[in-house]
Amino acid sequence: MYECPGQKKRTGSFMSDTAMAPQTTNASNDVANVASGGALDRNGIGWAIFEWARNPYYILIVIYVFAPYFGGVVGASMAANGEFGDLQGRELEEAAGAAGQASKASITKMAGLIAAPTDPILGAMLDRGGRRKPLLIFLLGTIALMSWILWYAKPDGTGFSIPFIMGVLVIAYVTYTYSEVTHNAMLSSNGAPRSLPVISGIGLALGNLAAMLILLFIVIAFAMTALIGWPFEEALFGIDVSQAEHFRIAGPICAVWLILFSIPFFVMSEDGGTKGASWIQALKDGIKSLIATFRRASDNKEILKYLGARMLYADAMAALLTLGGVFIGLYLQWNLVELSAYAIIASLFAFFGGLLAGVLDRAVGPKRALIIEVTGLLLVLTFQLSITPDTLFYGLVDSYQVWDGPIFNSLSDIVYLSSALLLAIVATASISSSRSMLVHMAPPERVGEFFGLYSIAGNVTVWLGPLMVEIFTRVSGEQRVGMSA
């Protein structure tokens, strides 16, 4: 089996690091060391189902459906208040879009500032504390509640205010990262080491498949009906499209989905924590261990080098995902049906990306798999930036109208949509391989702590990508230049 850089250190410097760390009695360590079972066994499937239940929130709310809608609400509100002066037409639309994008950046920035210092502490506590599932019940319940509240983000201002909804999104975002740290810390307790990459990939695949199914339902039941009166004469369930209820309904749907499908996870997966352990003592010992980890950085230099590298490409990934929907909607002027179709296709092929990661990880190892996947991301994004409404390949090929239909009627639209297939595959695969890389490198008894550091590497500069996009866009006046950041 392929051995990651730093893997051999489990019997070397990592063990000496552990010997100097505060000692606690933790059954989860024993579980992590003796966990067995294949990817399709009860525990592995139970762990993976968690992402089937939770990940649709991120895909629908943070990326494709609610975020572009809410950005539009922010921009429209500012325009109504005369904050863009005498701008008219396309100039006004661009200013409003930039304002909506800035609001998204501020939400992400605030959530990152909260999560960055607290995620690693939580991770270190999970290695030494009590049962994880009760904590996840609270975290998932909070996400579900915040998601339900989004129904009241009405476009006419009669619902909750924009600052209140922004606060709700911050709470949900932070809670989402906490649930990710907790869930990741349970991975090594739910399968044999050789099965963990495949279990991780299956989880991401299921999460994207679930999002695809929900998006498909929203398009068929609401969006397509509003656009062309098909397949139903009116939107189902009394949804009022004029009040953007087809956007806002994504929140309650994700809330119900999360509660319903998290039940198999709680029933089937292994907790890995220690019943009755003191969380207060775990907090104290966890902080001491984190301090010791940073003080002895040379003992952990390989894994810290990896986490530093991940901070850069994960930040770029976060900007690409969270701002991608807004970019497409404004630059190519796609409507909800087109955005949803893009998301559905991306989610479908992301399913295969999750499976591909498991295959690549086992074939060439997580490090080489990551090199392949991140390189693929760079190539696809470079190609996407060559597409404008009028040309392709940086002006070398003219676009033209392919058919006279309501969606994807130009060559640029179709080519950009096609590029989503590759982007979804390599992006999802890189996420899975990143997680697998950490599991291979981290000492078994401190997986939770290093997943906390893993989370901070993905959140500490999460505001930087959106900020760079905003600066590049404002200075150049070009959205493509902005996204190139």
Side-chain angles (χ1 to χ4, degrees):
M1 183 176 177
Y2 178 82
E3 198 164 49
C4 292
Q7 189 172 357
K8 292 182 179 179
K9 293 181 181 292
R10 289 187 178 184
T11 57
S13 61
F14 272 137
M15 293 305 295
S16 63
D17 195 27
T18 304
M20 291 185 284
Q23 300 297 308
T24 59
T25 302
N26 191 345
S28 66
N29 299 344
D30 296 332
V31 173
N33 289 325
V34 302
S36 60
L40 299 180
D41 286 356
R42 175 186 173 90
N43 287 354
I45 292 297
W47 185 92
I49 286 176
F50 180 91
E51 304 210 63
W52 164 275
R54 186 200 58 167
N55 287 19
Y57 172 86
Y58 190 88
I59 294 173
L60 270 74
I61 304 302
V62 177
I63 305 177
Y64 292 117
V65 178
F66 187 83
Y69 157 72
F70 187 63
V73 170
V74 172
S77 175
M78 295 177 67
N81 293 331
E83 297 188 30
F84 301 125
D86 298 328
L87 294 181
Q88 299 291 330
R90 181 60 180 167
E91 290 184 345
L92 178 60
E93 291 178 2
E94 291 179 351
Q101 183 168 302
S103 70
K104 280 201 63 184
S106 66
I107 291 170
T108 305
K109 176 183 66 178
M110 183 58 66
L113 290 174
I114 296 172
T118 54
D119 279 349
I121 295 175
L122 172 62
M125 289 175 62
L126 291 170
D127 286 331
R128 301 159 177 81
R131 309 292 284 176
R132 286 89 174 259
K133 288 182 179 179
L135 175 60
L136 279 174
I137 290 175
F138 170 76
L139 295 175
L140 297 184
T142 301
I143 296 172
L145 177 60
M146 298 300 105
S147 187
W148 187 276
I149 290 174
L150 299 181
W151 170 256
Y152 301 98
K154 298 181 179 181
D156 58 7
T158 59
F160 290 127
S161 67
I162 288 176
F164 180 84
I165 295 298
M166 292 178 70
V168 166
L169 292 171
V170 168
I171 293 172
Y173 200 115
V174 173
T175 308
Y176 189 95
T177 65
Y178 288 166
S179 70
E180 185 174 21
V181 172
T182 307
H183 180 238
N184 284 341
M186 297 170 63
L187 175 57
S188 60
S189 301
N190 282 279
R194 60 181 174 80
S195 302
L196 298 184
V198 180
I199 294 174
S200 175
I202 290 175
L204 285 170
L206 288 177
N208 282 281
L209 179 61
M212 183 195 72
L213 294 175
I214 297 175
L215 283 165
L216 189 61
F217 169 74
I218 291 176
V219 168
I220 293 175
F222 313 128
M224 287 294 292
T225 296
L227 183 65
I228 61 174
W230 181 90
F232 308 103
E233 293 184 1
E234 296 180 354
L236 299 184
F237 311 115
I239 291 296
D240 186 356
V241 176
S242 67
Q243 289 297 310
E245 290 183 357
H246 55 317
F247 287 97
R248 296 188 283 126
I249 194 65
I253 289 176
C254 288
V256 173
W257 186 277
L258 175 59
I259 293 172
L260 179 63
F261 287 108
S262 62
I263 295 174
F265 160 75
F266 288 107
V267 172
M268 297 169 61
S269 66
E270 172 63 43
D271 186 289
T274 303
K275 186 177 182 179
S278 170
W279 284 105
I280 300 299
Q281 187 61 41
L283 174 62
K284 295 177 181 178
D285 291 344
I287 293 176
K288 291 179 181 178
S289 182
L290 280 173
I291 294 173
T293 297
F294 283 110
R295 283 180 174 174
R296 294 189 300 276
S298 60
D299 294 336
N300 303 304
K301 65 178 181 179
E302 291 302 318
I303 194 168
L304 292 179
K305 280 162 57 179
Y306 162 61
L307 292 176
R310 180 184 178 272
M311 180 179 70
L312 298 178
Y313 74 76
D315 185 33
M317 175 83 74
L320 177 62
L321 292 177
T322 58
L323 300 176
V326 175
F327 173 75
I328 297 169
L330 291 176
Y331 193 69
L332 297 181
Q333 299 181 4
W334 284 6
N335 57 39
L336 176 60
V337 174
E338 290 170 316
L339 283 170
S340 298
Y342 179 92
I344 289 169
I345 293 174
S347 296
L348 174 62
F349 280 83
F351 173 84
F352 296 108
L355 300 180
L356 173 66
V359 174
L360 273 179
D361 288 355
R362 297 189 69 173
V364 302
K367 179 180 178 180
R368 292 193 180 97
L370 267 174
I371 292 173
I372 294 171
E373 292 150 2
V374 174
T375 301
L377 270 171
L378 287 169
L379 293 175
V380 175
L381 181 57
T382 300
F383 173 71
Q384 286 187 330
L385 292 176
S386 77
I387 302 171
T388 75
D390 303 316
T391 64
L392 298 89
F393 300 104
Y394 297 100
L396 295 178
V397 177
D398 291 333
S399 181
Y400 55 87
Q401 183 171 321
V402 176
W403 72 302
D404 187 18
I407 59 174
F408 304 123
N409 50 24
S410 75
L411 180 62
S412 292
D413 292 338
I414 295 173
V415 172
Y416 198 99
L417 178 66
S418 300
S419 70
L421 314 184
L422 292 175
L423 185 69
I425 290 174
V426 292
T428 305
S430 72
I431 295 172
S432 179
S433 295
S434 296
R435 189 160 56 190
S436 176
M437 180 86 164
L438 186 68
V439 171
H440 277 71
M441 296 182 73
E445 69 278 2
R446 295 170 62 198
V447 169
E449 175 183 332
F450 278 102
F451 263 119
L453 294 174
Y454 176 90
S455 180
I456 193 174
N459 286 293
V460 67
T461 59
V462 73
W463 50 270
L464 182 59
L467 177 62
M468 289 178 64
V469 171
E470 181 181 7
I471 293 174
F472 275 50
T473 303
R474 290 187 184 279
V475 172
S476 68
E478 290 284 340
Q479 286 184 263
R480 285 195 303 161
V481 175
M483 286 299 291
S484 72

